[in-house]
Amino acid sequence: MNWFTALSTLFRPQPRTAEQRARDLLRAVDAGGLPLNVAVVNHIARELGLDVSRKARMPETIERIRKVMAGR
């Protein structure tokens, strides 16, 4: 393996897990100023194994994500 290949594998973006995406989402919510997308929040909730109904409101879903992440 040459040095270019070694560097390119070092700096290649790694796939993120559902937990990493959830932590990023919660950091963004806590920091404020980031427009949140309902579909993205629901997708992260589903990845964490939460049942997301169509009537669920985003603040409630974010709190459920927060509770799940607190237990991990």
Side-chain angles (χ1 to χ4, degrees):
M1 177 183 316
N2 64 24
W3 66 270
F4 180 74
T5 306
L7 284 177
S8 65
T9 56
L10 179 64
F11 292 109
R12 182 180 308 152
Q14 301 298 317
R16 295 177 32 221
T17 64
E19 285 83 9
Q20 289 168 329
R21 285 190 289 280
R23 281 188 183 82
D24 290 345
L25 169 72
L26 295 177
R27 266 190 239 114
V29 168
D30 292 340
L34 178 72
L36 296 175
N37 183 325
V38 174
V40 172
V41 171
N42 288 343
H43 179 75
I44 291 171
R46 278 189 214 99
E47 284 184 325
L48 293 172
L50 298 174
D51 182 33
V52 181
S53 70
R54 298 188 132 231
K55 295 181 181 181
R57 294 177 34 213
M58 192 163 26
E60 296 165 354
T61 304
I62 291 171
E63 282 307 308
R64 290 174 61 205
I65 291 170
R66 200 178 293 280
K67 287 178 184 176
V68 167
M69 294 306 296
R72 291 188 181 194

